[in-house]
Amino acid sequence: MFTINTIDGNNRMSTQDLLERINAALAQGETEFYIEASGQHDIGGPLWQPEGKPLKFHIKNAGQRVGSMCLPGTEIIVEGSSSADVGWLNAGGRIIVKGDGGDTTAHCAAAGTIYVGGRAGTRSGSLMKHDPLYEAPEFWVLKNVGSFAFEFMGGGIAVVCGYDSQQFESVLGNRACTGMVGGIVYFRGTASGISAKDTKILALNEEDIAYLDGKMDDFLTAIDRAELRRELSHWHEWQKVVPLTYDERPKKANTNMYSFRTDEWVPGSIFGDVCEDDFAVIGMIATGKYRRRVPVWENGKYSAPCEFNCTASIPSQQRFNLLREGKIEEAYRLVLEYTPFPGSVCGAVCPNLCMDDCTRKTVDISAQIGKLGRYSSEADLPMPENRTGKQVAVIGGGAAGLTAAWQLARLGHDVTVFEADEKVGGKMEQVIPRSRLPQETLSREIARIEKMGVAFKTGVTVDKAKFTAIKDSHDAIIVTTGGHTTKVIPWPGHERIVKGLEFLKAVNKGQKPEIGKRIIVIGCGNSGMDVAVGAYGLGAEQVTCIDVQRPAAFDHEIDHVKSLGAEILWPVFTKEITDQGIITQEGQLIKGDTVIIAIGESPDLSFLPDGIERERGCLKPANNSSIAPGIFTAGDTVRPGRLVDAIGAGRQAGLAVDAYLQGTTFTLAEKARIPAGRISAAYFKKCHSCDVPEANSDYNRCISCGTCRDCHMCLKSCPENAITRTVGENGAEYTSDPNKCIGCGICAGICPCGIWNMEPNAEPLTFYK
């Protein structure tokens, strides 16, 4: 038994310190306590033992709220009396007070047992209640209770034994059971002043006697008064108080409120000088303008987490909805409105941020969004019906430039892409290993862009003169030359370093750059991992990748490189490059024959006219992607990033150029992410990884956050049949009839996708003059 004495000389332990000490002992495995208290509050609840073992407390001199919110598995024995609120909100504990209980003993008790071996004070047993899912609370008192006992009692069982209480006019005090609507109170002896409007007093039946007889021994043994068993078992001395049924309660006269207000009340009402009283009587349940809340069908108002996280803003939940409806080709084509590279990027090299916060992860596993892109690699969109005659030049044939060209060509403009390399595709073509991005996938998607009408001019180096010539012959220019200048830190010996981007370009062209057997790669991002894979492909025997911070590469890329035998070290700070390898700031030598750096790239902007604003070596466009009249930019020329970032920026630049050519203002529609609390993922059955279907069949697992999946749940659940489903050009739509709707919110609560929202009723009430 763990003993705590709360008095040390003249010092008294505070309630907070006592409770903290109890919790600390519980965490160490203690289950039985002897507490020499000195009036501290809240001893004994709510507590639980980490292993689920029962807890037992022996307490002397307890203060208020002993056993407050006590939980199942806890037993509290109070030696002597206790002050107010014993067992307040008892939730299942067994509380024994061997002396008197103070005021409001068992107040709001909802479960468990409370035994008092003396008297209980005012309002004891008030607001007791009973949840039918649990055993009813029990409250036993040996002697009597104070006034207002069992006030507003809603459930449970109370027993007042009336021992040693002959001197009291009522063992239940004055005005007992006022407002009582549930439960039962057994009492022995005389009782008066009990509310006749709410209750009735009855004799015991056999079931009552069986209950009292069965529990009496436990009660008397607990309070150490077993000798009273015979005296308290004369059942003819007992009665019970129960609440009146609805039919038994007195009813008020049925008054026609409208007649009263129009015929008997003050003409025009007592506020007739300021109000126009319509004499409408608003019931407990209202429709129309008197509803406090109204449902709003907000289909598509918010972005799903997948769409919100995707920097290309691809609405993947809409793709799954189309697949669910059997519109397969339409689903595959939808993604082409946002990116021309669903197979190359979404389905191959993208980190698939769309899947990171997929709501389905709260149930089991993310919907298979990334792999879904592969099904769109061969899809096509129709050519534009009308041509605008506008000429647009795109300088740079990487992800951003080709995406912008794709969007502009679809809108009917004539687009020419100028590329310095022999092939378009940017880093997708020049840098990313074929093991990550198959050549046939990329070639097919580039061919689709060309088929849309985009002209490619490769092997074209753009300098200032060439840029001026292009600008003079086109209505608009988009600069998307990317970042192709490898960053090299000027350490001593930096001239020995091989630039990672040039190394990867050579490997992708089928060349075999000369490297040693031991390779050191500076930079552990995805490019660094690509360099490591390329080095092993050229015959390297050992690759060491170093970085100053935690590696930023995708986990699966790091795992792949490690599986080839590479070592990854961080944090490592380089001091010098030598012919033997790298010397760190700590003086350690990391041996290597070849050092390759891959810590990022910067753009070459020397061909642009003077006066264009720049920041840290990059361009600084306006909100519409423009850097000068008729000149726009996107991608790594603005901010180095992922391919999906370049695609999103390229699409935005393409749409901005279209607005410029039409003489309108470009605004990019942005949607807020749907609040997680509006999604009801609990409606979806959990599955295991072995049950996850192929991506194009994963539509039933997609929760369709923020977009209606036409499940009919709201339609079938509305208690007033206020919801109507119609099918139009945009698919199924749901509306709520205000003359039937009562604003209960069931539609919003049951919608798994978060489409219905309850808003305050904004319909004006014409009342004041």
Side-chain angles (χ1 to χ4, degrees), residues 227-302:
E227 75 278 5
L228 300 178
R229 177 63 154 96
R230 182 182 298 275
E231 181 178 345
L232 299 181
S233 299
H234 301 299
W235 306 120
H236 64 276
E237 299 175 353
W238 289 79
Q239 299 179 79
K240 66 180 179 181
V241 183
V242 295
L244 295 174
T245 65
Y246 175 79
D247 292 333
E248 292 172 331
R249 292 177 182 269
K251 305 294 189 298
K252 294 182 179 180
N254 186 13
T255 302
N256 184 313
M257 187 60 67
Y258 181 81
S259 298
F260 173 76
R261 292 174 64 186
T262 55
D263 300 336
E264 302 179 37
W265 190 233
V266 178
S269 86
I270 58 174
F271 302 107
D273 57 332
V274 293
C275 299
E276 293 286 356
D277 196 340
D278 60 3
F279 299 105
V281 179
I282 305 173
M284 291 290 291
I285 299 176
T287 60
K289 64 181 180 181
Y290 293 112
R291 295 170 295 169
R292 292 187 58 198
R293 302 183 305 162
V294 295
V296 182
W297 196 63
E298 297 181 332
N299 186 32
K301 176 180 179 180
Y302 294 97

Side-chain angles (χ1 to χ4, degrees), residues 24-262:
L26 274 173
Q28 297 299 316
E30 296 292 342
T31 59
E32 190 167 356
F33 295 81
Y34 177 79
I35 300 176
E36 191 77 41
S38 48
Q40 288 87 355
H41 299 173
D42 299 295
I43 303 174
L47 299 169
W48 57 91
Q49 207 272 342
E51 299 176 10
K53 297 178 181 179
L55 304 177
K56 192 168 186 177
F57 288 83
H58 303 264
I59 306 171
K60 279 190 174 182
N61 304 317
Q64 292 181 339
R65 295 190 297 276
V66 63
S68 168
M69 294 184 280
C70 194
L71 297 177
T74 298
E75 182 179 41
I76 299 172
I77 301 173
V78 178
E79 301 293 339
S81 298
S82 183
S83 55
D85 295 330
V86 173
W88 175 65
L89 280 172
N90 185 20
R94 177 179 167 91
I95 304 170
I96 301 166
V97 179
K98 295 188 177 181
D100 295 333
D103 291 343
T104 56
T105 298
H107 178 63
C108 291
T113 301
I114 300 173
Y115 289 158
V116 175
R119 311 186 196 280
T122 300
R123 286 196 166 88
S124 289
S126 60
L127 288 169
M128 284 179 66
K129 59 186 74 70
H130 177 210
D131 185 335
L133 294 178
Y134 302 93
E135 294 293 328
E138 297 178 287
F139 173 35
W140 286 59
V141 179
L142 179 64
K143 297 182 180 180
N144 63 314
V145 294
S147 296
F148 308 107
F150 314 111
E151 185 178 40
F152 303 113
M153 184 176 181
I157 301 171
V159 181
V160 180
C161 298
Y163 173 74
D164 187 26
S165 301
Q166 297 83 353
Q167 67 273 35
F168 295 99
E169 191 173 311
S170 171
V171 296
L172 298 183
N174 186 34
R175 295 189 63 185
C177 303
T178 300
M180 181 179 181
V181 294
I184 185 170
V185 178
Y186 296 105
F187 68 96
R188 172 179 168 271
T190 303
S192 60
I194 298 174
S195 172
K197 295 190 301 180
D198 303 304
T199 63
K200 58 186 175 183
I201 300 176
L202 302 174
L204 303 190
N205 56 32
E206 292 183 1
E207 185 179 346
D208 299 323
I209 294 171
Y211 167 76
L212 294 170
D213 192 49
K215 293 286 292 190
M216 186 65 74
D217 288 331
D218 183 60
F219 169 60
L220 294 175
T221 301
I223 63 172
D224 298 333
R225 299 301 302 269
E227 75 278 5
L228 300 178
R229 177 63 154 96
R230 182 182 298 275
E231 181 178 345
L232 299 181
S233 299
H234 301 299
W235 306 120
H236 64 276
E237 299 175 353
W238 289 79
Q239 299 179 79
K240 66 180 179 181
V241 183
V242 295
L244 295 174
T245 65
Y246 175 79
D247 292 333
E248 292 172 331
R249 292 177 182 269
K251 305 294 189 298
K252 294 182 179 180
N254 186 13
T255 302
N256 184 313
M257 187 60 67
Y258 181 81
S259 298
F260 173 76
R261 292 174 64 186
T262 55

Side-chain angles (χ1 to χ4, degrees), residues 324-375:
R324 189 182 299 113
E325 296 170 13
K327 300 176 181 178
I328 297 173
E329 290 304 317
E330 189 175 340
Y332 293 166
R333 289 195 299 266
L334 175 64
V335 70
L336 297 179
E337 297 180 14
Y338 298 85
T339 172
F341 298 111
S344 300
V345 178
C346 301
V349 297
C350 184
N352 295 136
L353 305 176
C354 51
M355 296 172 62
D356 285 352
D357 289 333
C358 175
T359 306
R360 184 74 203 195
K361 284 179 69 174
T362 63
V363 180
D364 41 47
I365 303 165
S366 295
Q368 303 303 294
I369 302 171
K371 294 179 181 178
L372 187 61
R374 300 176 186 176
Y375 296 93

